[in-house]
Amino acid sequence: MSFRKDRLVVSVLAVSLLFFLNVQAQDKNIALNKPVSANSGDPKYPVKNVVDGKISRNSKWVASTNRAPHILEIDLQKYYIINEIRVHSGIIDSEKRPDEMSQAAGFWSLKNFKLQYWDDANWSDFPKSEVLENRLTNAVFKFSPSVTTFKVRLICDDGEPVNIMEIEVMGREALNMPAPPVVGSEIRKAPAFKGSRKASVTVSNKEAGKSM
């Protein structure tokens, strides 16, 4: 009897694992080539670059102002179940020039930002997606339970012209959902920054997770 119970437990676990792996395998970058907008942008590095599938300093969005907040919004055009978001910013190691090698990790990366989704009425924060003093070129956020939405956005509070190489939104289409309503963007263009573009780092004693 005990042997049969053990076999039943193993079978259930195996089925659960296969289901989980099948669901994860269906996930893809649903932000790829989707409409995207920002409240500022350098004409040489337009915002469309963040959804072109290229993680490179040569294909990035650069804000044209040093005034926070920097806001970037992606319209997924359909309801999707989102499990993960990856934010690639700064300069990846393989593309650093010799004179850039001595800079601290994440020197050019987004420092202070959070991720939000449209909940059909308001912008809500993705769970545990607010970051202070980031030092990663690839910041990964996983969501359990998943979040279902058709619009996502990033808000950055850095006081400098920031850059993002790519934003990957990993998920799958939510079946049996109606077409999303037409929601106008709240993004307002910020005045262009005409000063120096030299990078600066602000050291803060704030703890990660506090509200901006």
Side-chain angles (χ1 to χ4, degrees):
M1 189 71 177
S2 177
F3 177 70
R4 290 182 178 177
K5 286 184 177 179
D6 290 343
R7 288 187 63 184
L8 179 60
V9 171
V10 171
S11 297
V12 170
L13 291 174
V15 171
S16 299
L17 178 59
L18 287 173
F19 176 78
F20 173 77
L21 292 175
N22 183 54
V23 168
Q24 292 300 106
Q26 295 176 9
D27 286 354
K28 61 181 180 179
N29 180 14
I30 56 178
L32 187 63
N33 297 320
K34 292 295 171 59
V36 58
S37 56
N39 62 343
S40 78
D42 184 329
K44 294 181 180 179
Y45 300 102
V47 69
K48 66 179 182 179
N49 288 348
V50 303
V51 292
D52 66 359
K54 302 174 184 177
I55 302 172
S56 170
R57 69 185 298 170
N58 300 314
S59 179
K60 61 185 177 182
W61 164 68
V62 178
S64 61
T65 178
N66 62 348
R67 292 185 181 180
H70 305 283
I71 304 175
L72 188 151
E73 183 180 305
I74 302 173
D75 184 354
L76 301 173
Q77 300 181 304
K78 294 181 180 179
Y79 282 98
Y80 285 93
I81 300 170
I82 299 172
N83 297 308
E84 181 178 323
I85 295 180
R86 306 166 188 167
V87 179
H88 305 270
S89 64
I91 304 174
I92 55 178
D93 289 343
S94 62
E95 293 187 344
K96 285 183 179 178
R97 299 189 297 264
D99 61 321
E100 296 169 337
M101 292 296 186
S102 61
Q103 293 291 356
F107 181 79
W108 294 277
S109 300
L110 293 183
K111 299 301 186 299
N112 309 291
F113 65 93
K114 63 181 176 180
L115 300 170
Q116 295 185 323
Y117 65 94
W118 184 254
D119 66 6
D120 289 330
N122 302 285
W123 286 105
S124 297
D125 294 347
F126 276 98
K128 299 180 181 179
S129 70
E130 186 169 354
V131 180
L132 297 177
E133 294 305 317
N134 171 56
R135 287 293 183 268
L136 301 174
T137 56
N138 179 20
V140 178
F141 306 88
K142 297 179 183 289
F143 311 113
S144 182
S146 304
V147 174
T148 299
T149 187
F150 65 95
K151 293 183 90 171
V152 299
R153 73 177 183 179
L154 178 148
I155 301 178
C156 178
D157 202 33
D158 295 355
E160 60 189 34
V162 298
N163 78 88
I164 298 176
M165 295 180 287
E166 192 79 10
I167 295 180
E168 297 178 284
V169 182
M170 309 305 295
R172 62 191 185 279
E173 186 175 348
L175 301 178
N176 302 317
M177 291 289 287
V182 177
V183 179
S185 175
E186 298 177 2
I187 288 181
R188 298 291 181 268
K189 294 294 182 181
F193 176 59
K194 300 183 182 302
S196 171
R197 287 184 178 272
K198 291 183 178 180
S200 62
V201 176
T202 302
V203 178
S204 172
N205 60 0
K206 295 179 180 178
E207 297 177 3
K210 284 186 177 180
S211 176
M212 287 185 182

